[in-house]
Amino acid sequence: MGPLRIGIVGTGAMAAALGAAWARAGHTLLVGGRSPAKAEALAARLGPGARPGTPSQALLFGDAALLAVDHGAVAGLLDDAGAASGALRGRVLIDCTNAVGPGFLLTTGEGPGAARTIAAATGARVVKAFNHSAASVWALDPPVFADGPLAVPLCGDDEAALALVRTLVRDLGCIPLDAGGLDRADQLEAMTAFLIGLWHTGQDPRPMLPPFAAVAGTDRSGLREA
Ligand SMILES: NC(=O)c1ccc[n+]([C@@H]2O[C@H](COP(=O)([O-])OP(=O)(O)OC[C@H]3O[C@@H](n4cnc5c(N)ncnc54)[C@H](OP(=O)(O)O)[C@@H]3O)[C@@H](O)[C@H]2O)c1
C-alpha cells in the first residue's frame, strides 16, 4: 500500500502522536480541529505533508479518517459532516475513542459501544483501533519494548478497511492483531476501560497476562501477526 491520505479529527494528544508517526511514514494528512489555531499549529508540527482544516473536512478527506476527539463530541461532528444524509457511508473511519466515565465505567453502558454507534450513525466502514494504549505510548518512535513491538488489536467488519489500518499500525512500528468483527469492539472498549482503571490506580496490568505458550500448552510463543 503506497502513501495514504488520512484525515485526523482532533488536535490533542492522540492526534499529535498518531499524526507524527503517519507523517514520518509519508502519508498526507488533513488535521481537522474546531480551533483553527490548534489545527494550524499541529499541521505545522507534522510537517509539509500535513495541512489544517475543519473536523468535517478531515472526516471526508482521503482514504480514511481517525476520530481522535472526546467521545461526547463524536455524534455532533458526524452530524456536521452530513452523516444523516449518507455523506460518510462507506468511508473508512478509525475510532480510537474511549467512552470512559466516573469509576472507569463505560458511559455507553449496556448499549452498543462507541465504534458500533459510529457505524450505525454513518454506514461507514469502522475499525476500532489505537484506543487500548496511552498517547504517550503512541508517541514513542517506535513503541517497541523488551519483549517486542506493541500489538494493536483491531476490530472491524470490512477486510479492505482492516488492511488499510494494519498498514497504519505497521507504520508505527507495531504489530496488528486481528481481534474480530465490529461486534467485538465493545469488548475492546470494555477491556480498555478496565486497563485504564488499573493504570490510574498505579497498578501494572502486564503481569496479569500469562505467556501465550503457557495458555496454549504448546511451544508457540509471542503474538501471531495479522
Ligand atoms: N490520551 C490518551 O492516552 C488516549 C489513549 C487512547 C484513546 N484516547 C481517546 O482518544 C480521544 C482523544 O483523546 P486525546 O487524549 O487526544 O484528548 P485531548 O488531548 O484532550 O484532545 C481532545 C480533542 O478533542 C477535541 N474536542 C473536544 N470536544 C470537541 C467538540 N465538541 N468538537 C470538536 N472537537 C472537540 C479537542 O478540541 P479543543 O482542543 O478545541 O478542545 C481536542 O482536539 C478520546 O476519545 C480519548 O478517550 C486517548
Side-chain angles (χ1 to χ4, degrees):
M1 207 172 280
L4 297 166
R5 297 165 76 235
I6 309 292
I8 296 185
V9 185
T11 56
M14 287 294 282
L18 294 172
W22 296 336
R24 281 195 299 274
H27 302 307
T28 298
L29 307 175
L30 192 153
V31 179
R34 65 174 166 180
S35 155
K38 287 184 183 178
E40 276 166 30
L42 179 56
R45 269 174 58 199
L46 297 180
R51 63 184 163 92
T54 64
S56 289
Q57 286 169 336
L59 276 167
L60 293 163
F61 179 73
D63 302 295
L66 170 77
L67 276 157
V69 294
D70 302 79
H71 169 72
V74 170
L77 295 179
L78 298 178
D79 277 353
D80 292 348
S85 50
L88 298 171
R89 186 163 299 285
R91 294 261 311 142
V92 177
L93 294 184
I94 306 162
D95 172 31
C96 76
T97 66
N98 283 315
V100 180
F104 308 110
L105 298 175
L106 290 173
T107 59
T108 48
E110 299 296 314
R116 287 204 293 142
T117 302
I118 293 167
T122 58
R125 295 178 286 160
V126 176
V127 177
K128 187 85 198 185
F130 306 113
N131 67 308
H132 90 292
S133 196
S136 54
V137 173
W138 303 124
L140 296 173
D141 178 21
V144 175
F145 305 100
D147 55 354
L150 185 74
V152 183
L154 310 180
C155 293
D157 293 333
D158 183 90
E159 179 45 40
L162 286 165
L164 185 153
V165 180
R166 285 187 205 111
T167 295
L168 295 177
V169 168
R170 292 191 184 102
D171 287 338
L172 286 157
C174 297
I175 297 176
L177 196 63
D178 282 344
L182 206 63
D183 54 359
R184 287 182 62 198
D186 289 12
Q187 295 176 346
L188 181 47
E189 292 169 9
M191 178 196 80
T192 302
F194 188 74
L195 292 176
I196 291 171
L198 291 171
W199 286 323
H200 277 256
T201 53
Q203 301 179 88
D204 185 356
R206 256 176 102 82
M208 143 186 129
L209 289 180
F212 179 63
V215 178
T218 70
D219 288 336
R220 290 182 296 156
S221 62
L223 294 159
R224 187 161 54 88
E225 189 171 347

